[in-house]
Amino acid sequence: MKYIISGGKKLEGEIKVGGAKNLALKALAASFLFKQEIIFNNVPEIEDVKQILEIIKDLGAKVENIGNHQYKIFTGNVTKTLLSSTLAPKLRASIVLIGPILARFGEATLPYPGGCVIGMRPIDIFIDGFRALGAEVKEYKDVFYFKAKKLIGTKFIFPIISVTATETLMMAAILAKGRTILVNTACEPEILALANFLNSCGAKISGAGTNTIIIDGVNKLSPKVFDIIPDRIEAGTFAIMAAATNSDLKIKNCNPMHLEIPLLMLQKIGVKLQIGKDFIHVFPSKNLKAINIVTHEYPGFVTDLQAPFTVLLTQTCGMSLVHETIYEGRLFYIDKLNRMGAHIVLCDPHRAIINGPTKLYGKKVESPDIRAGMAMVIAALVANGTTEIDNIYQINRGYEKIKERLQAIGARIKYEV
């Protein structure tokens, strides 16, 4: 499947933000901390969620879609602790299942996790964390085996800030014996939301949202309904898309407080915004100015918005520098933008210089990963002519029904086999 997009048309109207992908995957994994049934609300219908639900079902859990982005999961009868060797490697986030499964069952087996190109990263930090909690870790060919009769509270210092590792070890420590102190933790809103939910179920977590999290182990949790917070990456992407296409667009059902730095950068380049409690209204804006951006851990400029913002910078006046500090190789979509007419110099794997404004033209391109794929969609909406975007599975991993939602605000986009 591919997207066929005819660009050059302004968007108009309202678009609603879905549940946060980067929370939903961890929330669904947390179902293994409970022996009772648990209900999740505002779950995004995206490919990554479908993948983790298939893994959860393969482990023996009962998963029921009860409609309107709601799921009911029961893991009380689960005895299997071996993640599927065909399903798990397709999804990097499958590793988050190990924390809850190991904490509850005392063992877990993980095929090497995968995902997109950006997702293929070492898992050493997870292994070190589980060992610090008292787990025995054995590595076989393409498989990791974790075993611990009972995890024991510890102090663990993250050598680098990692969102997924923070969430995974936080969940593992909930049922551990004694106190666990996690140092140099990530501060993303999704971590705080996960901790708040688990605390409502009886966990004892303090410091979530800061660089030090303290978990006092408990014997059991009692489930509550889990409401997934809005996806800040999707909200920011739509705001950038509106600015790049010079459109009048209202982004609803979001939390602008989770996007303070990206929204500040939009305002600095001259984008007119109205920011409410749960909405962002982007107005048509002329003579946008170049700016330098540096990606950083939350609350800095989020790396997942770097590629969409780079597309926007091709439409600003002057020279901009984008410095990607989080992921190696995350600028390797630049050649696709240049193919469409952008004037971007890739200085090294972490820095790119954008000269604008430039006209973009429809071309045949492909989606290398979730966020760069969505950047290609934005570029296609900006471009003159028709753009074909291949490998759209990557886009669908993170954005629900993007074709239908963009069509509803005036985009000329369709599927083609």
Side-chain angles (χ1 to χ4, degrees):
M1 296 286 286
K2 63 181 69 173
Y3 285 135
I4 308 296
I5 301 174
S6 297
K9 185 177 185 295
K10 291 186 180 182
L11 309 175
E12 188 176 11
E14 299 179 344
I15 190 166
K16 185 179 178 182
V17 173
K21 166 189 178 291
N22 290 336
L23 175 59
L25 299 177
K26 305 4 174 338
L28 295 170
S31 61
F32 284 94
L33 292 169
F34 302 86
K35 294 182 180 180
Q36 305 96 330
E37 183 179 87
I38 183 168
I39 293 175
F40 301 89
N41 290 333
N42 201 32
V43 179
E45 301 287 349
I46 55 177
E47 291 298 328
D48 273 12
V49 164
K50 293 176 185 176
Q51 287 283 349
I52 201 164
L53 287 174
E54 286 301 313
I55 297 170
I56 290 171
K57 284 192 285 187
D58 181 77
L59 287 166
K62 182 181 178 181
V63 177
E64 184 181 354
N65 184 343
I66 54 179
N68 194 27
H69 296 86
Q70 289 184 307
Y71 282 85
K72 186 188 296 183
I73 299 181
F74 176 64
T75 66
N77 294 329
V78 170
T79 57
K80 183 179 177 182
T81 60
L82 167 62
L83 272 63
S84 167
S85 60
T86 56
L87 296 173
K90 297 178 182 178
L91 182 67
R92 164 75 180 179
S94 61
I95 196 169
V96 302
L97 289 158
I98 298 302
I101 291 172
L102 179 61
R104 179 169 155 196
F105 298 103
E107 64 177 0
T109 304
L110 173 75
Y112 201 91
C116 60
V117 175
I118 297 300
M120 295 294 287
R121 300 184 295 275
I123 64 168
D124 303 32
I125 192 169
F126 295 87
I127 293 172
D128 292 343
F130 288 130
R131 281 180 172 147
L133 286 165
E136 179 185 1
V137 184
K138 294 182 179 180
E139 181 177 354
Y140 301 99
K141 185 179 179 182
D142 300 326
V143 168
F144 295 93
Y145 176 68
F146 305 86
K147 185 177 182 179
K149 186 174 182 180
K150 180 74 173 178
L151 294 176
I152 306 297
T154 187
K155 180 178 181 179
F156 182 73
I157 302 171
F158 290 87
I160 59 171
I161 295 175
S162 168
V163 175
T164 305
T166 295
E167 293 162 323
T168 303
L169 295 184
M170 182 176 76
M171 287 192 286
I174 286 172
L175 300 179
K177 182 180 180 181
R179 170 170 287 190
T180 298
I181 302 174
L182 303 178
V183 180
N184 197 30
T185 51
C187 303
E188 273 70 5
E190 294 81 9
I191 295 171
L192 178 59
L194 179 62
N196 286 343
F197 165 73
L198 293 170
N199 281 340
S200 75
C201 299
K204 296 181 179 179
I205 305 168
S206 60
T210 74
N211 292 120
T212 301
I213 299 177
I214 299 174
I215 307 105
D216 289 307
V218 297
N219 292 324
K220 66 176 182 177
L221 299 176
S222 300
K224 306 285 186 182
V225 175
F226 198 153
D227 294 311
I228 307 297
I229 64 174
D231 195 314
R232 62 194 170 95
I233 306 304
E234 187 171 87
T237 300
F238 291 155
I240 293 167
M241 177 180 69
T245 56
N246 196 27
S247 299
D248 186 332
L249 187 65
K250 187 174 184 179
I251 299 110
K252 299 174 62 178
N253 190 42
C254 62
N255 188 340
M257 289 185 65
H258 294 164
L259 288 164
E260 289 183 321
I261 298 300
L263 292 178
L264 175 64
M265 295 298 104
L266 285 174
Q267 291 173 318
K268 279 182 171 291
I269 69 174
V271 177
K272 298 175 184 177
L273 301 175
Q274 180 188 3
I275 302 172
K277 183 179 179 180
D278 60 356
F279 72 87
I280 304 164
H281 195 156
V282 182
F283 298 95
S285 309
K286 296 180 180 179
N287 302 317
L288 300 181
K289 300 173 292 185
I291 197 172
N292 297 338
I293 63 167
V294 180
T295 61
H296 200 276
E297 292 86 359
Y298 189 84
F301 193 98
V302 57
T303 179
D304 283 351
L305 292 180
Q306 175 260 109
F309 207 91
T310 298
V311 175
L312 173 58
L313 291 175
T314 68
Q315 304 305 299
T316 62
C317 300
M319 185 171 68
S320 303
L321 173 68
V322 171
H323 188 179
E324 171 57 57
T325 68
I326 308 297
Y327 293 136
E328 187 81 27
R330 200 161 202 179
L331 290 170
F332 289 166
Y333 64 90
I334 293 297
D335 63 317
K336 298 170 180 57
L337 291 181
N338 283 339
R339 202 186 311 167
M340 296 177 72
H343 293 166
I344 305 176
V345 177
L346 186 62
C347 305
D348 56 45
H350 293 279
R351 295 176 300 159
I353 294 173
I354 301 99
N355 291 284
T358 55
K359 285 183 180 287
L360 300 182
Y361 299 92
K363 297 288 182 181
K364 291 183 178 181
V365 294
E366 55 284 329
S367 171
D369 61 71
I370 299 174
R371 309 308 176 184
M374 193 60 197
M376 293 300 107
V377 171
I378 297 173
L381 293 170
V382 172
N384 293 328
T386 300
T387 300
E388 294 184 15
I389 304 177
D390 212 342
N391 194 28
I392 62 171
Y393 172 78
Q394 292 292 347
I395 301 170
N396 296 334
R397 285 181 55 209
Y399 299 90
E400 178 182 337
K401 296 181 179 177
I402 198 65
K403 175 184 73 74
E404 293 81 1
R405 294 160 76 195
L406 293 184
Q407 284 177 338
I409 55 174
R412 294 174 291 192
I413 175 173
K414 63 182 181 179
Y415 281 129
E416 187 175 286
V417 178

